[in-house]
Amino acid sequence: MSQMRWFVFLPPFLILLTGCIYSFVDADSFLAQMKFLNQWILERFGWLYSVSTFVFLLICIAVYASPLAKVKIGGKMAQPLLTRWRWFSITLTTTVATGILFWASAEPLSHLHHPPASLGIEANTPEAAQFAMSTMFMHWTFTPYAVYTLAGLMFAITYYNLKQPFSIGAMLFPLLGKRANSFGKVVDAICLYSLAAGMAASLGAGILMIGGGLESLFGVEKDPLLLALVTLAIVACFIISAASGLMKGIRILASWNIRIFIAFCIFLFVFGPTTSMLKLGSEGLLEYGSHFVQRSLYNLEIKETTWLNDWTVFYWANWLAWTPITALFLGRLAYGYTVRDYIHFNLLFPSLFGCIWMTVFSGTAIHLDMAANGTPLYDTYSQQGAENVMYAIFEYLPLAALMSIIYLLISFLSYVTAADSNTSAMSGISASGISPESPEPAFPIKLIWGIIIGVIAWVMVTFAGIDGIRMSSNLGGFPALFLVIVVAIGMVRLIFRKEDFL
């Protein structure tokens, strides 16, 4: 523990501990305060989330087309740490986590049955299906991955090329120069809170999904004790994996995870409504492209701020909450590759994978719900929760019981993989002495953060359910939003004044 940076660790730890104690002592008052703060943020800054994430994507495109794209991360003599396949597998599986498993089949059902009134689309119609598919592409492909890419690329350049310390504050160097080091500890502390909240939200989704699977498959009641046991199992696994370091635990987990993802996607494509999902996917992509700019800008086309805050802004906040710490992890992987390679493997390829995944899974959910008598999948979503939708879909496919068990295992593995990487990064900025030559923090620091995340997630899903997950995401993403805005300004400066730094 002598390695601990107490100024960085203690502020977010004490804030999170206070919240947990408050929720145990007076859960109703705690939730009321959380809802008030969450609503205040959304009402005043929802537009800033939308505009900023859109600008982040434009900056990534500008970097790709600029001379900066040819710069090799780590210098001209740097040799890659990972093969391209391993790099892609780790990047994809540590960023999507349980998100695409949890929401890919459930979210489009909500958009199908409750499209924004300002669009003039009637619910449960082909037009609503197109809107649902285009929204899935909006929420899960290019824009969110641009947020990760921008921050991760900035860290890679400042850490490896500009020789700045292993700190989130290092990403401010192109804009603030040496003054960035003065803000480093404060920035690290704030971002630790952001990620703890974001990780808790993602883990909460994973806990609900696995709990829903155990309930569907084995009839086990999804009570606080079951959720606590699921939390304990996930946390124990990702702590053990994180203890082994990047080149062992995470690499092995990611390699298996991506193979299972691909196999699972192929199974559903072959045995699901293939023609229909391809039709829905192509129509959704066309609508996504034609309405992209309007829907990227808050309230420009969709006038219902409640819908925007509940969905689009919720996602931007969730991705932003993960961004600062994820940037440290993704930036570490880029050593030996060019800036243009980085954009390929962190923005382009994961986004294309997301398009394929949403075409298969969201397209299947929409088709089955619209083709059946009544709305069976939407009924499952609204009555039993989003975590049970995928298990209901399996009832329409071959090998339903086997696929449900595999899906349950994928859900477990995917969160463990993502949490492993972020626990390592969180522990890294909580510790001193981290460098390219000595990249791993001490195990006790990883253990402490794993326990903290698990407790927060269990509290949120037990006392607040899916609403707690949403609030945690929004609150975690709020401070991270302003950090990434500053990083974006610094990246623009790098584009135009590359010779001053590299």
Side-chain angles (χ1 to χ4, degrees), residues 278-297:
L278 289 174
K279 181 175 182 294
L280 285 166
S282 59
E283 291 174 348
L285 277 173
L286 287 173
E287 179 165 323
Y288 167 64
S290 60
H291 293 266
F292 175 73
V293 175
Q294 300 96 309
R295 292 180 187 171
S296 294
L297 302 176

Side-chain angles (χ1 to χ4, degrees), residues 208-220:
L208 287 177
M209 183 185 300
I210 295 168
L214 294 173
E215 187 176 45
S216 299
L217 291 170
F218 307 110
V220 182

Side-chain angles (χ1 to χ4, degrees), residues 392-437:
I393 288 176
F394 291 137
E395 297 301 320
Y396 295 87
L397 301 172
L399 306 173
L402 176 61
M403 296 312 298
S404 295
I405 293 172
I406 294 174
Y407 182 75
L408 187 66
L409 293 174
I410 295 174
S411 302
F412 185 87
L413 180 62
S414 63
Y415 189 81
V416 169
T417 306
D420 180 341
S421 64
N422 286 284
T423 301
S424 293
M426 290 174 71
S427 303
I429 63 168
S430 300
S432 58
I434 302 298
S435 68
E437 295 74 31

Side-chain angles (χ1 to χ4, degrees), residues 2 24 48 54 62 97 110 146 179 202 236 271 298 319 334 364 395-396 412 417 421 423 435 448 477:
S2 61
F24 276 115
L48 186 58
F54 177 61
S110 177
R179 289 176 297 171
S202 183
F271 293 101
Y298 191 81
W319 288 70
T364 297
E395 297 301 320
Y396 295 87
F412 185 87
T417 306
S421 64
T423 301
S435 68
I448 290 171

Side-chain angles (χ1 to χ4, degrees), residues 228-305:
L229 292 174
V230 171
T231 306
L232 181 62
I234 295 175
V235 170
C237 286
F238 77 67
I239 288 175
I240 292 170
S241 178
S244 65
L246 171 63
M247 294 305 164
K248 295 180 181 178
I250 298 174
R251 179 178 59 80
I252 295 169
L253 281 173
S255 179
W256 279 101
N257 202 353
I258 194 169
R259 286 180 172 88
I260 299 173
F261 264 58
I262 292 171
F264 201 68
C265 192
I266 292 172
F267 173 85
L268 195 60
F269 180 78
V270 173
F271 293 101
T274 307
T275 302
S276 182
M277 70 175 70
L278 289 174
K279 181 175 182 294
L280 285 166
S282 59
E283 291 174 348
L285 277 173
L286 287 173
E287 179 165 323
Y288 167 64
S290 60
H291 293 266
F292 175 73
V293 175
Q294 300 96 309
R295 292 180 187 171
S296 294
L297 302 176
Y298 191 81
N299 216 11
L300 189 62
E301 182 182 34
I302 298 173
K303 305 300 181 182
E304 288 83 355
T305 55

Side-chain angles (χ1 to χ4, degrees), residues 76 83 187 315 388 458 470 479:
K76 294 180 180 180
T83 65
V187 172
Y315 280 123
N388 289 294
W458 179 77
R470 291 180 181 276

Side-chain angles (χ1 to χ4, degrees), residues 69-408:
K70 298 179 182 178
V71 171
K72 193 173 188 180
I73 296 169
K76 294 180 180 180
M77 304 303 293
Q79 296 299 312
L81 297 174
L82 299 165
T83 65
R84 293 176 185 271
W85 169 251
R86 286 179 176 172
W87 187 20
F88 174 68
S89 66
I90 294 175
T91 296
L92 182 71
T93 56
T94 57
T95 53
V96 296
T98 51
I100 61 172
L101 292 171
F102 190 88
W103 290 113
S105 57
E107 182 188 339
L109 298 174
S110 177
H111 304 324
L112 176 67
H113 291 274
H114 299 286
S118 59
L119 297 181
I121 298 173
E122 186 178 346
N124 204 25
T125 61
E127 291 74 20
Q130 289 179 22
F131 169 74
M133 284 299 303
S134 68
T135 302
M136 297 306 293
F137 296 133
M138 181 77 184
H139 290 166
W140 291 98
T141 60
F142 292 95
T143 301
Y145 274 108
V147 180
Y148 279 173
T149 299
L150 178 66
L153 179 58
M154 178 62 87
F155 176 75
I157 292 172
T158 54
Y159 183 55
Y160 286 122
N161 294 72
L162 304 183
K163 308 303 180 184
Q164 295 302 298
F166 189 87
S167 166
I168 296 170
M171 292 190 287
L172 306 180
F173 182 79
L175 185 64
L176 301 180
K178 294 181 179 179
R179 289 176 297 171
N181 295 327
S182 304
F183 297 101
K185 290 182 179 180
V186 176
V187 172
D188 287 351
I190 292 172
C191 291
L192 273 177
Y193 165 77
S194 292
L195 181 66
M199 277 188 70
S202 183
L203 176 56
I207 293 168
L208 287 177
M209 183 185 300
I210 295 168
L214 294 173
E215 187 176 45
S216 299
L217 291 170
F218 307 110
V220 182
E221 184 180 355
K222 194 169 56 181
D223 58 13
L225 176 60
L226 176 65
L227 297 178
L229 292 174
V230 171
T231 306
L232 181 62
I234 295 175
V235 170
C237 286
F238 77 67
I239 288 175
I240 292 170
S241 178
S244 65
L246 171 63
M247 294 305 164
K248 295 180 181 178
I250 298 174
R251 179 178 59 80
I252 295 169
L253 281 173
S255 179
W256 279 101
N257 202 353
I258 194 169
R259 286 180 172 88
I260 299 173
F261 264 58
I262 292 171
F264 201 68
C265 192
I266 292 172
F267 173 85
L268 195 60
F269 180 78
V270 173
F271 293 101
T274 307
T275 302
S276 182
M277 70 175 70
L278 289 174
K279 181 175 182 294
L280 285 166
S282 59
E283 291 174 348
L285 277 173
L286 287 173
E287 179 165 323
Y288 167 64
S290 60
H291 293 266
F292 175 73
V293 175
Q294 300 96 309
R295 292 180 187 171
S296 294
L297 302 176
Y298 191 81
N299 216 11
L300 189 62
E301 182 182 34
I302 298 173
K303 305 300 181 182
E304 288 83 355
T305 55
T306 300
W307 187 94
L308 288 167
N309 292 339
D310 284 348
W311 288 108
T312 304
V313 175
F314 157 69
Y315 280 123
W316 299 166
N318 191 33
W319 288 70
L320 281 161
W322 284 70
T323 294
I325 306 293
T326 303
L328 269 64
F329 176 74
L330 296 179
R332 275 183 61 192
L333 305 180
Y335 186 83
Y337 288 101
T338 67
V339 168
R340 182 165 286 135
D341 289 331
Y342 189 93
I343 295 174
H344 286 156
F345 283 85
N346 289 270
L347 173 55
L348 180 60
F349 298 157
S351 297
L352 293 176
F353 181 89
C355 289
I356 295 170
W357 187 273
M358 294 306 160
T359 295
V360 173
F361 283 80
S362 300
T364 297
I366 292 171
H367 169 83
L368 292 177
D369 194 64
M370 295 184 72
N373 292 325
T375 54
L377 294 185
Y378 180 71
D379 292 342
T380 298
Y381 171 76
S382 57
Q383 296 170 17
Q384 300 178 37
E387 63 270 22
N388 289 294
V389 171
M390 199 65 218
Y391 299 103
I393 288 176
F394 291 137
E395 297 301 320
Y396 295 87
L397 301 172
L399 306 173
L402 176 61
M403 296 312 298
S404 295
I405 293 172
I406 294 174
Y407 182 75
L408 187 66

